[in-house]
Amino acid sequence: MIDALKWRYATKKFDDSRKIDSDKIELLKKGFNLTPTSYGLQPIRLVIIKDQNLKDRLFEHSYNQIQVKTASHILVICIENTVDEKFINHNFELQKEIRKAEDEIVKPFRDFLIKDFTNRNDQQIKAWGINQAYLAMGNLLTICAAEKIDACPMEGFENKAYDDILNLHDKGISSALVLPIGYRAEDDKFADFKKVRRPQEETIIEY
């Protein structure tokens, strides 16, 4: 795994003739769904784009970052626009169904979460959701490295334009992060750059 993490880098140019196999896309989908999230609520969804026309349209709203055009697929990590009592109850109904949990067991925690999120404003809930999106991004980047899939995490894009082009409003979600994935182009000079990291002695504290 360490070798895989040393191998990966933020790919600046993809080979647009190479496409990711469907079985590897399935792995990424499963990995996304297994990502840990706060309270296990999963306030995130993943939009997967392979249609070239859509990629070309999104490129215009990605500050002309060529990765969006040349990637095999674009992964857009989105957050739920509404995390309310109904959303929380759905999660606990899944717990009861899958774990066969009794209602009296889950009720105290469910009631706590409903009260907690009722007391949060929209901006607080959005910020919390974006934190969960970053967890998913990290998970996907690690899976990509392990599977020798190149990727480039992006915050630099026009969220509203993405939301409009992908009709995310109708799905009750908003774009948070973008992850173009594919295979590095042979002429991407960044592939040969040595990885720059602070020495471990500066970043790790042990007691």
Side-chain angles (χ1 to χ4, degrees):
M1 183 56 70
I2 296 300
D3 287 340
L5 292 175
K6 288 179 179 178
W7 170 86
R8 70 149 300 275
Y9 72 109
T11 307
K12 300 299 184 287
K13 185 179 179 183
F14 293 99
D15 180 347
D16 58 7
S17 70
R18 297 186 64 194
K19 305 301 177 185
I20 298 173
D21 292 339
S22 59
D23 59 338
K24 290 194 181 289
I25 296 297
E26 285 300 316
L27 277 177
L28 292 169
K29 287 157 68 172
K30 289 177 181 177
F32 175 83
N33 211 42
L34 288 168
T35 293
T37 57
S38 179
Y39 305 123
L41 287 177
Q42 288 185 280
I44 51 176
R45 281 194 258 173
L46 184 65
V47 177
I48 302 174
I49 303 154
K50 63 179 180 179
D51 180 81
Q52 190 60 48
N53 289 330
L54 265 182
K55 287 189 283 185
D56 290 342
R57 290 178 65 192
L58 293 173
F59 166 74
E60 297 174 10
H61 301 283
S62 308
Y63 303 109
N64 296 324
Q65 296 178 86
I66 196 64
Q67 298 97 315
V68 174
K69 259 182 176 289
T70 58
S72 170
H73 292 68
I74 306 295
L75 307 183
V76 183
I77 302 173
C78 302
I79 59 172
E80 298 284 350
N81 291 336
T82 304
V83 179
D84 56 8
E85 183 173 350
K86 180 180 178 182
F87 183 88
I88 293 169
N89 275 328
H90 176 65
N91 177 272
F92 280 89
E93 288 304 312
L94 281 175
Q95 289 194 36
K96 289 163 64 177
E97 177 186 339
I98 294 170
R99 294 178 173 173
K100 309 301 180 189
E102 299 293 332
D103 191 63
E104 60 265 24
I105 300 298
V106 302
K107 186 177 186 301
F109 188 43
R110 180 185 61 199
D111 291 349
F112 160 75
L113 286 181
I114 290 171
K115 181 179 179 181
D116 183 46
F117 278 87
T118 299
N119 290 331
R120 300 188 192 194
N121 61 41
D122 290 344
Q123 284 302 112
Q124 289 172 322
I125 293 175
K126 180 179 179 180
W128 170 80
I130 290 173
N131 287 342
Q132 314 316 306
Y134 277 101
L135 287 173
M137 173 76 86
N139 215 28
L140 289 170
L141 284 169
T142 301
I143 295 169
C144 283
E147 294 295 322
K148 291 294 187 287
I149 297 170
D150 287 297
C152 183
M154 289 183 178
E155 296 175 302
F157 67 99
E158 298 170 20
N159 299 71
K160 186 179 184 306
Y162 267 64
D163 294 354
D164 291 342
I165 291 169
L166 299 173
N167 297 315
L168 299 185
H169 305 289
D170 294 342
K171 298 174 176 59
I173 56 178
S174 301
S175 57
L177 298 167
V178 173
L179 184 63
I181 58 174
Y183 298 103
R184 63 190 68 178
E186 289 186 8
D187 61 347
D188 185 357
K189 62 183 180 181
F190 289 88
D192 296 324
F193 284 8
K194 289 186 176 181
K195 196 174 290 291
V196 178
R197 293 292 187 273
R198 293 165 63 189
Q200 263 187 204
E201 294 75 15
E202 290 185 14
T203 62
I204 308 296
I205 299 170
E206 295 183 86
Y207 289 104

